[in-house]
Amino acid sequence: MADTSNSVLFDAPGPKGRRTIRIVNWIAGILFAVVLVLILMRLHNPPDGENQLSWELWKPAIEREAWTDFYLPGLWMTIKATVVAVVGAVVFGLVFGVGRLLPNPLVRGVSAVIVEFCRAVPVLLLMIFFWRWFAFAGLPSPSYWAVVLALVLYNGSVVAELVRSGVGNLPGGQREASLALGLTETQSLMEIEVPQAVYAMLPAAVTQLVVVLKDTALGSIIMYTDLLQESRRLGSMYFNILQTLVMAAVIYFIACWLLSRLAEWLPARMRQRTAAPAEPEPLAPIAAGDPSNVNQIAVAKEVEELPLGGTPRKYHVHHRGTNASIRNWRRTRYEQGYDATQPESQVDPETGEFQESQKPEDKPEA
């Protein structure tokens, strides 16, 4: 029997624990409300400054021109960098993730060094380095490509680790069975193990999209005109930097929330695609003395509630037993709702009993 003690993180709290959690939640909620009120009071009446809650400061941050000239163009640049970085990160992660799993020690070692280096260096440092390099080289849009390349390297290394861990979590029998069939280790890795690992890592990879989207805001330091940079420009024009940053934070929150919902929807969709419903098959009737007759007793209780004894079968009835035979097969099928028109198994509405089969010569003439 498998030991499942390590898979349990904690026990469900009892009545006393739930009461304690409820009290702590109420205290935390009250403290949060008090802090929020204090912040609003300070913004309304700062010691040395203008009322930050006044409509004159909020109006330029939410009017139509702010969206058409600043927020939406900045959001488009953010999405543009995010999409390109995600595609590049997936390709980078697959290539070097598989490279860390190949039997060749040279390829495995080089892939490990590249992945670990990209994971260790901060993303902002990579952006600054590439920005200076591309600017000296005279490349067009150096800030854009610096942001994209830095995000590709960092998030690609994360995807590479997802691929490696996904293959490592597969059952050992996968590789053993493929090797027994005559495949090499590389063929087993590329044709059997990696496809399963990629399919299993999709939810975690979608969650990584949130990290890519948020990290594009670091590009504002190297003058990349993303959503954060455009909101800062708008704030510097009307001297309402707080209001424009709040609007940018709201837009970031909505975009990340949508990606989080996608990460929650994808696993459920994957389970629906892989779990096929099984249709019950009609089998031989249960023998009279078989212990599994409990299923047929449940069917008989449903039969009493419907006219003519017919009822749709709602679950699989397993017919088994040494004395199982085809005797009274039509009657059993009628009791389980399969044959509602069989004349030899009709129920007499007055007595509630099944009528005996009539021979052709005993039937009255028309």
Side-chain angles (χ1 to χ4, degrees):
M1 183 176 180
D3 184 14
T4 60
S5 59
N6 294 329
S7 62
V8 179
L9 298 180
F10 53 86
D11 295 332
K16 184 177 180 180
R18 289 195 297 268
R19 184 170 59 255
T20 303
I21 294 174
R22 192 181 306 112
I23 294 173
V24 172
N25 289 338
W26 274 104
I27 295 175
I30 294 173
L31 291 177
F32 176 79
V34 171
V35 172
L36 181 61
V37 170
L38 293 176
I39 293 175
L40 293 177
M41 291 175 60
R42 176 53 63 93
L43 292 176
H44 177 71
N45 188 19
D48 296 319
E50 189 177 0
N51 179 16
Q52 297 297 315
L53 300 181
S54 63
W55 176 246
E56 287 75 14
L57 294 178
W58 282 96
K59 182 180 178 181
I62 60 177
E63 60 185 0
R64 182 175 178 274
E65 288 76 10
W67 288 93
T68 57
D69 298 339
F70 294 94
Y71 295 135
L72 293 182
L75 180 61
W76 164 244
M77 295 300 292
T78 296
I79 295 176
K80 180 181 176 181
T82 300
V83 172
V84 178
V86 166
V87 175
V90 170
V91 176
F92 181 94
L94 288 176
V95 171
F96 288 95
V98 173
R100 297 195 67 177
L101 298 170
L102 291 175
N104 191 321
L106 177 61
V107 175
R108 189 169 61 247
V110 172
S111 300
V113 171
I114 294 175
V115 170
E116 294 300 329
F117 174 80
C118 294
R119 289 180 62 194
V121 178
V123 182
L124 181 57
L125 184 59
L126 290 175
M127 289 183 183
I128 296 174
F129 174 79
F130 288 126
W131 177 51
R132 301 288 293 179
W133 181 22
F134 294 157
F136 286 139
L139 295 178
S141 303
S143 59
Y144 169 74
W145 291 111
V147 171
V148 170
L149 187 56
L151 293 177
V152 166
L153 294 180
Y154 175 75
N155 294 281
S157 63
V158 176
V159 174
E161 287 300 299
L162 290 176
V163 173
R164 188 171 70 93
S165 62
V167 173
N169 290 331
L170 291 176
Q174 299 277 347
R175 173 167 293 188
E176 295 175 359
S178 60
L179 295 179
L181 292 175
L183 299 179
T184 62
E185 293 185 5
T186 303
Q187 291 175 333
S188 172
L189 181 67
M190 300 299 298
E191 300 178 11
I192 297 177
E193 300 173 51
V194 171
Q196 298 181 64
V198 170
Y199 194 74
M201 77 171 190
L202 281 180
V206 173
T207 306
Q208 191 67 21
L209 294 178
V210 179
V211 179
V212 179
L213 180 65
K214 292 190 298 182
D215 285 348
T216 56
L218 297 174
S220 61
I221 298 178
I222 58 174
M223 303 304 170
Y224 179 61
T225 55
D226 64 334
L227 177 59
L228 179 59
Q229 180 69 13
E230 290 295 291
S231 63
R232 292 171 60 185
R233 287 180 53 201
L234 178 61
S236 63
M237 291 175 58
Y238 294 96
F239 300 100
N240 59 345
I241 188 67
L242 175 64
Q243 289 73 18
T244 56
L245 290 180
V246 169
M247 294 301 301
V250 171
I251 297 174
Y252 275 116
F253 173 80
I254 294 175
C256 295
W257 180 80
L258 292 176
L259 291 176
S260 300
R261 298 289 77 77
L262 176 63
E264 293 179 0
W265 171 83
L266 187 59
R269 181 62 177 174
M270 291 168 58
R271 286 193 295 268
Q272 292 177 0
R273 293 287 298 274
T274 56
E279 293 293 336
E281 299 179 358
L283 302 173
I286 305 176
D290 197 281
S292 63
N293 202 31
V294 62
N295 291 331
Q296 190 138 336
I297 293 175
V299 173
K301 291 181 178 178
E302 295 180 1
V303 169
E304 297 176 357
E305 301 175 358
L306 296 177
L308 301 180
T311 177
R313 191 167 71 168
K314 299 180 180 179
Y315 45 81
H316 192 107
V317 179
H318 296 277
H319 300 284
R320 58 185 182 272
T322 56
N323 297 325
S325 65
I326 203 63
R327 185 181 304 170
N328 295 327
W329 171 237
R330 292 179 177 176
R331 177 173 176 173
T332 304
R333 283 176 58 83
Y334 177 72
E335 291 177 351
Q336 296 177 352
Y338 285 113
D339 193 355
T341 60
Q342 177 54 246
E344 295 184 0
S345 60
Q346 294 295 326
V347 174
D348 189 349
E350 297 181 358
T351 62
E353 298 179 354
F354 285 90
Q355 299 178 1
E356 297 295 336
S357 301
Q358 297 181 1
K359 296 180 181 180
E361 58 272 12
D362 296 338
K363 293 182 178 179
E365 298 180 358

